[in-house]
Amino acid sequence: MDLQDFLLRARVLKLYRQAVRTARRAPPDSRAELKQVIRQEMESNRDCKDKQKIRFLISEGTERLKGLAEMLGMQGHC
């Protein structure tokens, strides 16, 4: 694993941790399902080796996470 792979892996793990933390803010009845969806999304791209695609997926995941956080914030979930 070269440095670029290591840095991409760190960004993916950071995104995953942020997503799980954000899911904790969801209403209790949908929290488990949301965490499951997050995990499935990560698992479905686990074997991706294309660095360009990984960067795209990180960018897309970050935008989706921002949208989720905004939606939870509007609903009054801390």
Side-chain angles (χ1 to χ4, degrees):
M1 179 186 299
D2 64 2
L3 178 61
Q4 202 172 45
D5 290 340
F6 179 78
L7 294 174
L8 279 176
R9 183 176 188 273
R11 288 177 61 196
V12 169
L13 291 173
K14 180 180 177 183
L15 177 61
Y16 178 73
R17 285 192 298 270
Q18 288 174 330
V20 170
R21 286 186 194 115
T22 301
R24 289 184 198 146
R25 295 172 30 204
D29 56 329
S30 60
R31 195 173 296 154
E33 182 181 354
L34 184 55
K35 286 183 181 180
Q36 183 180 7
V37 169
I38 292 167
R39 180 151 180 101
Q40 285 174 344
E41 289 284 329
M42 291 292 190
E43 285 290 333
S44 69
N45 295 297
R46 175 179 222 150
D47 296 324
C48 181
K49 302 293 182 205
D50 181 4
K51 292 177 185 178
Q52 189 69 20
K53 183 176 181 183
I54 293 170
R55 286 188 197 96
F56 170 77
L57 291 169
I58 291 170
S59 177
E60 183 180 297
T62 302
E63 290 302 313
R64 289 174 66 183
L65 184 57
K66 284 180 187 176
L68 176 63
E70 287 176 12
M71 184 180 70
L72 292 173
M74 283 189 242
Q75 292 179 352
H77 301 285
C78 296

